[in-house]
């Protein structure tokens, strides 16, 4: 009986032939796949808690449910967990931080006072791991956001505080970019909105526009920092009105040449971000995606290998947008092993991307142009059963990470040795 390595290679060679018949070079696809960095959100590791203070509750209309053992309580634990997750995911990726993950060595440093030095440990670690860093100012879980407003607040002093936070965060982003030699995407999401029907929808939006203008007024090289803005339809406690709606940020990004962030859970339940990419690419230079899985609402479930994930990746690949799309993940599930959640979601994202890259897109586009819509549908359906999984297994082996579900054994061992001791 052949050993596993030889079997995986055999399956790959057969798959390679099958795809070659359609002009797809699987070796080349794997070279290109290796170049794609997915941004892993650090907040899956500790339920969006951060390290400002032990008792801080999560506010801002987002929610994490579950109480699985072993949550990271310190930055070192979180880094250790991220290392474990990264070791089980093929390719070189990025880590996405939030301002609440600052390390202030016991000193109380408010959000508007944060400096690059509070993220030095993260940068040192990122260098050592060979990963880039992305960033997010944290406009929630703070007394000054307790009434549901931040950058659009009617009180000038509160607004000012959050503007200062935004400015501080862009500097931290630039520091990441400079130190790590890869631009940091600094993404602004705010929770501002009303539970019930507002009378004045315009003024808070006008204030938000002005606050953003001020935050972005300081020029920072795109070599170091890229600004993104993230819209939302509703949150818990902001069901009737969200200041930073889709139209608001779409307009803002287009006018001010920032990145637009599309979060898969931030639209009406039957509305999909996959169908927005090709529109927005006409009007913005680059996009940021928050790949997530909304189950009936913006629930931030772990990303699974579903139709929308596949459609997102297909749109990026078919449009040739890989260079202009920053693929970030945004889910948080505390009901299962948190490292398992990262691994499942990230491997799925890469798997779906690979499957999209294996498509003979040129030929399909030709069918479409010629009006041969029968062949288009026939091939799209047949390709679903093509041996892309053999290419995936081979890629994992090539990248020295566990093949198929073998990673689960490692997560279970880590749970026993590390997580259960916390
Ligand atoms: C909230 C947004 C936002 C957050 C993170 C923690 O609805 O999706 O991106 O999930 O910043
Ligand atoms: Zn998001």
């Amino acid at each position: 009986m052949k050993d596993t390595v030889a079997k995986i290679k055999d399956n790959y060679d057969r798959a390679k032939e099958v795809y070659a018949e359609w002009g797809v070079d699987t070796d080349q696809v794997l070279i290109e796949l290796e170049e794609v960095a997915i941004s892993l959100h650090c907040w899956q590791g500790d339920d969006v808690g951060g390290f400002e203070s032990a008792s801080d509750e999560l506010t801002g209309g987002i929610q994490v449910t579950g109480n699985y053992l072993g949550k990271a309580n310190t930055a070192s634990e979180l880094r250790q967990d991220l290392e474990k997750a990264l070791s089980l995911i093929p390719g070189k990726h990025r880590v996405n931080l939030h301002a609440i993950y600052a390390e202030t060595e016991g000193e109380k440093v408010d959000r508007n006072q944060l400096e690059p030095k509070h993220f030095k440990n993260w940068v040192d670690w990122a260098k050592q791991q060979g990963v880039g860093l992305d960033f997010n100012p944290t406009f929630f879980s703070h007394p000054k956001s307790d009434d549901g407003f931040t950058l659009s607040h009617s009180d000038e002093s509160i607004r000012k505080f959050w503007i200062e936070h935004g400015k501080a965060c862009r500097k931290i982003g630039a520091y990441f970019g400079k130190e790590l030699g890869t631009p940091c995407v600094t993404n602004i999401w705010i929770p501002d909105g009303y539970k019930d029907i507002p009378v004045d929808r315009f003024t808070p939006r006008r204030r938000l526009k002005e606050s953003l203008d001020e935050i972005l007024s300081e020029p920072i090289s795109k070599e170091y920092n890229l600004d993104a803005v993230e819209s939302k339809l509703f949150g818990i406690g902001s069901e009737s009105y969200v200041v930073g709606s889709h139209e608001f940020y779409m307009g803002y990004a287009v006018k001010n040449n920032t990145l637009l962030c599309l979060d898969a859970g931030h639209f009406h339940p039957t509305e999909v971000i996959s169908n927005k990419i090709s529109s927005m690419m006409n009007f913005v230079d680059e996009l940021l995606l928050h790949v997530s899985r909304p189950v009936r609402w913006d629930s931030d479930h772990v990303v699974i290998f579903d139709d929308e994930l596949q459609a997102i990746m297909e749109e990026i690949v078919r449009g040739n947008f890989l260079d202009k799309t920053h693929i970030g993940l945004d889910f948080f599930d505390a009901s299962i092993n948190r490292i398992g959640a990262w691994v499942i979601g990230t491997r799925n994202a890469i798997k779906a991307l690979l499957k999209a890259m294996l498509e003979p897109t040129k030929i399909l586009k030709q069918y479409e142009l010629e009006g041969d819509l029968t062949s288009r549908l026939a091939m799209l359906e047949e390709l679903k059963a093509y041996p892309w999984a053999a290419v995936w297994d081979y890629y994992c082996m090539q990248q020295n990470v566990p093949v198929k579900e073998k990673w689960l054994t490692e997560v279970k061992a880590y749970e026993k040795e590390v997580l259960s001791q916390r």
Side-chain angles (χ1 to χ4, degrees):
M1 222 171 82
K2 282 188 189 161
D3 66 1
T4 322
V5 174
K7 260 194 230 158
I8 292 167
K9 177 77 170 65
D10 268 9
N11 289 341
Y12 174 72
D13 287 339
R14 229 163 304 144
K16 189 176 155 156
E17 277 173 32
V18 175
Y19 281 106
E21 281 175 40
W22 284 91
V24 175
D25 179 349
T26 54
D27 290 341
Q28 183 57 32
V29 164
L30 293 185
I31 290 170
E32 287 165 22
L33 182 63
E34 203 182 337
E35 294 297 305
V36 184
I38 307 280
S39 194
L40 263 84
H41 52 314
C42 78
W43 51 91
Q44 162 59 50
D46 77 328
D47 314 340
V48 207
F51 308 122
E52 266 179 353
S53 89
S55 63
D56 265 357
E57 54 151 352
L58 176 60
T59 71
I62 51 180
Q63 255 177 26
V64 184
T65 49
N67 191 23
Y68 203 83
L69 65 88
K71 168 176 114 158
N73 301 303
T74 64
S76 325
E77 286 180 356
L78 187 56
R79 284 191 282 268
Q80 189 189 2
D81 292 354
L82 276 161
E83 274 175 40
K84 189 74 216 174
L86 288 166
S87 76
L88 304 173
I89 297 164
K92 272 268 166 248
H93 301 288
R94 305 175 64 84
V95 170
N96 196 4
L97 298 176
H98 240 284
I100 44 172
Y101 293 85
E103 287 169 273
T104 61
E105 290 171 1
E107 197 193 327
K108 168 105 183 86
V109 181
D110 212 345
R111 306 252 177 106
N112 61 340
Q113 303 294 333
L114 285 171
E115 290 177 56
K117 68 173 184 201
H118 301 123
F119 291 87
K120 187 177 179 301
N121 292 345
W122 282 108
V123 166
D124 290 346
W125 175 78
K127 279 183 187 164
Q128 178 212 323
Q129 296 291 312
V131 299
L133 290 178
D134 295 311
F135 201 46
N136 304 260
T138 312
F139 293 101
F140 52 84
S141 302
H142 188 283
K144 284 196 166 68
S145 68
D146 273 355
D147 63 359
F149 285 85
T150 62
L151 290 177
S152 74
H153 207 288
S154 56
D155 179 326
E156 197 186 332
S157 70
I158 293 182
R159 221 160 55 233
K160 192 164 162 276
F161 172 84
W162 290 114
I163 290 170
E164 285 169 3
H165 178 54
K167 287 183 170 178
C169 285
R170 289 182 76 226
K171 290 197 183 113
I172 294 163
Y175 158 71
F176 290 174
K178 205 169 192 171
E179 289 291 321
L180 301 170
T182 166
C184 165
V185 179
T186 299
N187 175 53
I188 294 181
W189 171 74
I190 61 164
D192 302 28
Y194 281 119
K195 181 184 177 76
D196 225 324
I197 306 153
V199 175
D200 183 357
R201 289 171 187 265
F202 178 73
T203 309
R205 286 183 171 144
R206 174 49 59 137
R207 284 194 292 259
L208 174 56
K209 179 202 170 293
E210 284 166 4
S211 296
L212 291 170
D213 287 349
E214 214 179 315
I215 291 173
L216 301 180
S217 63
E218 188 187 337
I220 295 182
S221 166
K222 291 200 169 185
E223 204 186 321
Y224 303 136
N225 182 69
L226 298 166
D227 301 295
V229 288
E230 179 181 6
S231 73
K232 188 165 179 169
L233 177 68
F234 82 96
I236 307 279
S238 62
E239 289 84 354
S240 301
Y241 171 72
V242 166
V243 182
S245 63
H246 179 50
E247 293 74 12
F248 178 90
Y249 281 124
M250 185 167 70
Y252 195 87
V254 170
K255 189 162 181 198
N256 298 284
N257 200 22
T258 69
L259 276 67
L260 183 71
C261 173
L262 297 171
D263 183 309
H266 287 193
F267 296 88
H268 284 279
T270 59
E271 204 178 340
V272 283
I273 64 165
S274 54
N275 191 30
K276 299 181 188 296
I277 296 169
S278 53
S279 290
M280 289 319 303
M281 281 301 186
N282 285 286
F283 304 106
V284 292
D285 293 339
E286 297 178 50
L287 284 176
L288 168 64
L289 301 184
H290 272 187
V291 180
S292 192
R293 179 166 53 110
V295 176
R296 308 191 191 285
W297 66 291
D298 181 32
S299 59
D300 290 297
H301 276 66
V302 177
V303 166
I304 59 169
F305 197 75
D306 61 8
D307 286 351
E308 173 58 2
L309 178 69
Q310 196 57 67
I312 291 169
M313 298 308 174
E314 283 165 356
E315 281 303 309
I316 300 172
V317 173
R318 289 174 184 168
N320 235 327
F321 299 136
L322 264 173
D323 290 347
K324 310 199 252 173
T325 311
H326 303 261
I327 307 173
L329 304 173
D330 188 9
F331 51 79
F332 19 97
D333 190 338
S335 71
I336 60 174
N337 180 299
R338 293 174 185 79
I339 292 131
W342 265 321
V343 176
I344 294 166
T346 315
R347 282 177 67 116
N348 277 333
I350 302 167
K351 217 187 283 176
L353 178 60
L354 167 64
K355 187 161 174 281
M357 289 168 95
L358 288 169
E359 180 188 89
T361 307
K362 248 201 207 136
I363 297 173
L364 297 179
K365 282 187 180 168
Q366 194 55 37
Y367 289 152
E368 193 163 277
L369 270 182
E370 288 163 0
D372 185 359
L373 308 186
T374 310
S375 298
R376 182 183 66 183
L377 182 60
M379 272 320 290
L380 282 174
E381 287 308 297
E382 290 299 333
L383 284 166
K384 288 178 180 172
Y386 266 48
W388 56 270
V391 183
W392 166 249
D393 288 347
Y394 179 73
Y395 182 60
C396 289
M397 185 173 82
Q398 195 191 50
Q399 294 287 322
N400 267 314
V401 302
V403 173
K404 292 199 171 79
E405 63 282 351
K406 295 258 157 52
W407 60 267
L408 188 54
T409 320
E410 292 203 31
V411 169
K412 290 282 183 192
Y414 187 78
E415 177 172 315
K416 199 163 167 231
E417 283 153 28
V418 182
L419 302 182
S420 67
Q421 309 301 314
R422 285 183 182 161

